[in-house]
Amino acid sequence: RSHLGSAPFAAAVAPRRGDGADGMAAGQDAPPPHVGDLPSEHVWQRWRGPLTQASAPDGNWRTLPHLQNVDVCRNIMGPRAREAESLLLSHGVDTTLLECRVCKQGGGLAACFGTDVAGGTRHHLRKLWSLALTVGTGVTADLWEEVVVPGGIVRFNYVDGAIELCRGDAPAQPTTDSVGARDADPARGPARSPSAPPSADGLRTSGNAASTAGTGADGVAVGGGG
């Protein structure tokens, strides 16, 4: 099991402010990008990179620090989910119609990280481990929330917190410009419209199924509040 502590560890972990490798501005004060301004169609452009670095030499997602502790997850992933909502709002999307497809909390992608929500981050983190292990037991486990916006698609990664945009339709091979290819998953369905949230079966996922030993869903440190 992976237990990295609670308060001392939470204070030591700082989120990464990842600029896209394509040069897309990611400063705190920069206005959110718009899909219509992207230089290429059918290519994922990264706006925000992963929140933390995996501690395993192979980069295994199960060693991402913000997935090991409830307090850390809430304090780091919560603001990133709100950034994703702000990006969607700038594209005219009513984010209150969205629900977290990991823990099924309605009211927006960041609602499950609120301290006034029953279960809150503790419930979300346990559900995330359980779901991610079923779709990516190896090094990678990419779970994307993809929302169709006017002119393209915006997506948010539930595992590492990355945020990407695509002008036009998503590429047939789900690659990220200047960042690296992601595993293709022919079972992926179309990105959803925020007006009709589908079931959890519609969750966009891709993963490398290479076998590696790791922490189970019950290995999440839950010493903090949720």
Side-chain angles (χ1 to χ4, degrees), residues 22-153:
D22 55 3
M24 189 180 295
Q28 185 70 27
D29 298 326
H34 194 279
V35 294
D37 297 328
L38 299 179
S40 304
E41 287 188 320
H42 318 306
V43 176
W44 289 111
Q45 303 277 348
R46 177 161 291 180
W47 180 46
R48 296 287 191 245
L51 285 163
T52 58
Q53 292 275 20
S55 60
D58 63 358
N60 194 299
W61 67 268
R62 284 175 284 183
T63 64
L64 288 169
H66 67 278
L67 299 184
Q68 313 301 320
N69 179 278
V70 173
D71 290 332
V72 175
C73 183
R74 180 178 60 250
N75 294 336
I76 294 181
M77 187 64 89
R80 179 57 61 87
R82 286 188 285 274
E83 277 192 297
E85 289 187 336
S86 295
L87 180 61
L88 290 169
L89 284 169
S90 73
H91 284 81
V93 174
D94 183 354
T95 58
T96 62
L97 299 177
L98 297 173
E99 69 174 14
C100 172
R101 293 207 214 168
V102 172
C103 65
K104 311 305 293 180
Q105 174 65 44
L109 300 179
C112 47
F113 298 103
T115 56
D116 58 340
V117 176
T121 309
R122 184 186 303 271
H123 175 66
H124 174 88
L125 192 55
R126 289 192 180 278
K127 290 289 187 180
L128 177 62
W129 270 90
S130 179
L131 181 59
L133 284 170
T134 65
V135 301
T137 57
V139 174
T140 63
D142 294 336
L143 280 69
W144 293 94
E145 175 68 47
E146 297 188 357
V147 180
V148 174
V149 299
I153 304 173

Side-chain angles (χ1 to χ4, degrees), residues 153-210:
I153 304 173
V154 171
R155 70 179 186 178
F156 168 70
N157 191 299
Y158 283 110
V159 176
D160 63 18
I163 303 174
E164 299 178 351
L165 305 89
C166 179
R167 181 159 66 92
D169 295 332
Q173 295 293 323
T175 59
T176 301
D177 188 34
S178 303
V179 176
R182 299 191 183 277
D183 300 321
D185 182 357
R188 289 188 176 195
R192 68 168 170 171
S193 165
S195 61
S199 66
D201 294 337
L203 185 64
R204 306 273 287 197
T205 64
S206 68
N208 181 342

